[in-house]
């Protein structure tokens, strides 16, 4: 017998280690690397992008304010992503409700993220799960990872938890929260794509009209459609729409058995909604289910408990903070935890909230930041901060902060705030396509 029994061994040492490559993690890793930090990005899937690719979300929200002006939030990384997608003819801008969004091709986004990561010098580890931490009082020294080759440790001076589930912080301190007052979390959705749709006929069906068709089908008892406020959205390809209409509620996807059941239930729902679309919705008669997300789309699980908790009141007044480092402009969009319905509450016209750096700092840890949907907020505020434009903005903030802290040998709370904010302003002042207008 010659095997090493998967003995734990040190793989290398980095200035910054980023866990998870959703909109927050990829933005954080690219930014840290651009700022000179030796950076490793660890992702358990075979591709970058998290919900934005694997979950087939397909639309960037939060890059623009809501209101008559639809101002672009300052975003260097967001601008780079949309510029590159536009060059490939793989994205488009549209005004919906009171704001502006960018819809994009999910496959091309994976390649754009690959390019941004490799060009910036990030060390990429795909198909690699972070499975534990090496930590002592107040500090993470290394991440335990598993992949096809090794069971190893990545040593790092600064760690960014962009796992969506706040897993790294949870394993280290146990100081995380989940959901609202009763632990309820927003419903999950498996996004799917229908092809060969007569889109001219389909888009003539209003959102309200679509809901009525769903409700009618449920009343007749011929279909079982748990959510009736979903809709479908144009993609960058003719005859194709992305469908955001399933709802898996009441299951906790941080529990293994429930996460498994959620995926199974979601796939059953996709089949049922596709059957409904073909049978009942104008323009879909000859369509077919061409693709669905490789993972169920999760809106909410665990959040860190940070030095500051962003609240719904902060969003209602679009509060600014002395340590504001990222921008949230999307309304609080809260999908029902059980049953049907989605609540929307907008920020003041054309205003954004500044997310304070303290909301990215987990209590009790000196070299760890969080970014993305797992930062320190209330359940309600998360309805806004979770969207990808905001996640990218947070990624920029933690990326610059981690690079500065690693270079200067400081703990994350010792960073001079004026310098961090100054550096972020300089980074984001780049004139980018996020300022582009429709047409
Ligand atoms: C159905 C649905 C529709 C949505 N619609 C929109 C929309 O239209 N526009 C919009 O902007 N936002 C939308 N959102 C919200 C948005 O997509 C997510 O909130 C956002 O992508 C979160 O980004 P993130 O980087 O925090 O996490 P995620 O995108 O969840 O990424 C986390 C990453 O970490 C990886 N990871 C986790 N744990 C580990 C580990 N232990 N080891 C290694 N890797 C790990 C995961 O594989 C994943 O790639 C939607 C969300 C859902 C679910």
């Amino acid at each position: 017998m010659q095997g090493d029994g998967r003995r734990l061994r040190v793989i290398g040492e980095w200035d910054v280690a980023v866990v998870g490559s959703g909109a927050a993690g990829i933005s954080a890793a690219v930014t840290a690397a651009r700022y000179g930090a030796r950076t490793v990005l660890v992702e358990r899937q075979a591709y970058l992008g998290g919900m934005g690719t694997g979950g087939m979300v397909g639309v960037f929200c939060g890059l623009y304010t809501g209101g008559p002006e639809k101002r672009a939030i300052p975003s260097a990384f967001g601008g780079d992503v949309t510029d590159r997608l536009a060059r490939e003819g793989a994205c488009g801008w549209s005004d919906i409700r009171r704001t502006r969004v960018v819809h994009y091709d999910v496959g091309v986004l994976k390649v754009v993220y690959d390019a941004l990561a490799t060009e910036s010098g990030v060390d990429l580890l795909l198909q690699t799960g972070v499975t534990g931490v090496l930590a002592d009082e107040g500090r993470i020294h290394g991440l335990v990872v598993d992949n096809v080759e090794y069971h190893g440790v990545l040593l790092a001076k600064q760690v960014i938890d962009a796992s969506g589930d706040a897993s790294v912080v949870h394993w280290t301190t146990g100081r995380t929260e989940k959901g609202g007052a009763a632990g309820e979390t927003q419903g999950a959705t498996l996004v799917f794509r229908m092809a060969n749709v007569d889109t001219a006929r389909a888009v003539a069906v209003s959102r309200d009209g679509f809901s009525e068709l769903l409700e009618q089908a449920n009343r007749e008892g011929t279909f079982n459609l748990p959510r009736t406020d979903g809709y479908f959205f144009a993609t960058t390809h003719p005859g194709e729409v992305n469908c955001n209409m399933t709802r898996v509620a009441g299951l906790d996807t941080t529990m293994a058995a429930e996460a498994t059941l959620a995926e199974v239930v979601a796939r059953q729902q996709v089949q049922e909604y596709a059957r409904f679309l073909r049978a009942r919705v104008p323009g879909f008669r000859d369509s077919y289910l061409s693709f669905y997300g490789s993972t169920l789309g999760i809106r909410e699980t665990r959040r860190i408990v940070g030095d500051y908790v962003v609240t719904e009141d902060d969003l209602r007044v679009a509060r600014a903070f002395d340590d504001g480092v990222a921008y949230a402009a999307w309304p609080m969009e809260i999908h029902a935890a059980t049953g049907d319905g989605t609540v929307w509450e907008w920020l003041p016209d054309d205003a954004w909230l500044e997310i304070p750096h303290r909301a990215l700092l987990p209590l009790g840890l000196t070299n760890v930041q969080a970014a993305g949907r797992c930062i320190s907020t209330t359940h309600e505020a998360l309805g806004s901060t979770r969207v990808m434009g905001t996640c990218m903005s947070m990624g920029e903030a933690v990326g610059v902060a981690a690079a500065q802290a690693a270079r200067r040998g400081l703990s994350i709370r010792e960073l001079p705030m004026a310098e961090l904010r100054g550096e972020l302003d300089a980074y984001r002042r780049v004139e980018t396509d996020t300022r582009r207008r429709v047409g």
Side-chain angles (χ1 to χ4, degrees):
M1 299 273 273
Q2 290 288 314
D4 70 359
R6 300 282 283 177
R7 246 192 322 269
L8 194 63
R9 62 187 169 93
V10 173
I11 304 303
E13 186 168 358
W14 283 266
D15 295 324
V16 178
V18 181
V19 182
S21 72
I26 177 69
S27 169
V30 168
T31 302
R34 284 176 174 172
Y35 274 81
R38 208 173 153 233
T39 304
V40 61
L41 173 58
V42 190
E43 169 55 57
R44 66 185 169 195
Q45 305 287 359
Y47 48 81
L48 302 172
M51 287 299 135
T53 55
M56 265 184 63
V57 164
V59 181
F60 292 128
C61 300
L63 290 173
Y64 294 87
T65 59
E69 283 184 48
K70 305 178 186 20
R71 294 160 65 207
I73 66 159
S75 176
F77 184 80
D80 288 341
V81 171
T82 52
D83 274 353
R84 288 183 186 227
L85 287 167
R87 257 186 264 148
E88 302 292 327
C91 73
W93 280 253
S94 39
D95 288 0
I96 60 158
R97 299 179 189 259
R98 307 177 61 233
T99 185
R100 180 162 300 154
V101 299
V102 184
H103 56 96
Y104 59 84
D105 182 285
V106 166
V108 179
L109 181 62
K110 288 180 183 169
V111 181
V112 165
Y113 281 163
D114 285 346
L116 285 167
T118 46
E119 286 167 24
S120 66
V122 168
D123 290 328
L124 264 187
L125 275 177
L126 295 178
Q127 305 219 15
T128 302
V130 175
T131 53
V133 289
L134 290 188
D136 60 20
E137 211 44 52
R139 189 174 179 85
I140 294 181
H141 298 279
L143 301 171
V144 180
V145 297
D146 281 272
N147 59 30
V148 66
E149 181 187 352
Y150 49 73
H151 173 55
V153 175
L154 314 180
L155 298 173
K157 294 179 185 147
Q158 292 288 326
V159 173
I160 295 170
D161 186 341
S163 64
D165 295 329
S167 295
V168 171
V169 172
H170 189 73
W171 297 331
T172 311
T173 67
R175 294 168 94 166
T176 52
E177 287 182 339
K178 209 181 318 183
E184 74 280 14
T185 53
Q186 293 194 45
T189 295
L190 181 53
V191 178
F192 61 98
R193 184 188 294 159
M194 299 295 286
N196 202 36
V197 178
D198 180 344
T199 43
R201 289 191 68 208
V203 297
V205 182
S206 68
R207 286 187 83 112
D208 286 347
F210 186 65
S211 291
E212 278 166 29
L213 291 174
L214 286 155
E215 282 159 14
Q216 188 188 338
N218 276 338
R219 272 196 306 273
E220 289 169 8
T222 38
F223 295 90
N224 181 10
L225 307 162
R227 176 179 171 202
T228 58
D229 67 345
Y231 199 54
F232 51 87
F233 304 91
T235 71
T236 50
H237 302 291
E240 190 183 85
V241 295
N242 253 14
C243 302
N244 179 338
M245 52 189 71
T246 61
R247 172 159 293 154
V248 179
L251 291 173
D252 179 349
T253 57
T254 63
M255 309 297 283
E258 293 184 47
T260 304
L261 178 61
E263 297 284 356
V264 172
V265 168
R267 281 192 283 275
Q268 287 166 349
Q269 284 189 18
V270 165
Q271 302 298 325
E272 184 72 345
Y273 276 88
R275 188 169 77 87
F276 159 79
L277 287 166
R278 279 191 298 266
R280 295 294 178 89
V281 183
F284 282 86
R285 195 192 59 194
D286 300 324
S287 68
Y288 61 93
L289 174 62
S290 68
F291 206 62
Y292 49 83
S294 53
T295 174
L296 172 61
I298 307 294
R299 293 187 175 84
E300 179 175 15
T301 50
R302 287 187 294 245
R303 307 181 297 269
I304 66 158
V305 181
D307 292 1
Y308 184 86
V309 181
V310 177
T311 68
E312 46 280 30
D313 287 338
D314 293 334
L315 284 148
R316 283 178 189 132
V317 297
R319 208 180 301 282
F321 292 90
D322 289 344
D323 64 337
V325 290
Y327 302 102
W330 191 251
M332 287 181 270
E333 176 195 339
I334 304 170
H335 293 246
T338 52
D340 214 353
T342 303
V343 174
W344 291 74
E345 185 177 346
W346 292 82
L347 279 67
D349 269 1
D350 288 311
W352 53 57
L353 162 81
E354 287 183 5
I355 297 175
H357 193 224
R358 285 164 295 157
L360 313 179
L361 302 183
L363 290 179
L365 290 171
T366 58
N367 69 331
V368 182
Q369 301 173 90
R373 70 177 169 86
C374 60
I375 67 158
S376 179
T377 65
T378 61
H379 164 70
E380 290 76 13
L382 173 71
S384 164
T385 57
R386 66 190 176 85
V387 297
M388 289 187 282
T390 310
C391 291
M392 289 179 189
S393 184
M394 292 182 220
E396 293 171 339
V398 295
V400 172
Q404 283 185 345
R407 184 170 62 244
R408 298 169 61 173
L410 297 175
S411 86
I412 200 70
R413 288 176 184 76
E414 288 171 338
L415 272 183
M417 190 44 61
E419 282 179 36
L420 174 58
R421 284 177 35 125
E423 203 62 73
L424 279 166
D425 283 348
Y427 183 44
R428 290 165 172 158
R429 208 163 287 139
V430 188
E431 198 55 39
T432 71
D433 256 11
T434 55
R435 290 160 175 78
R436 183 187 295 221
R437 298 268 156 186
V438 168

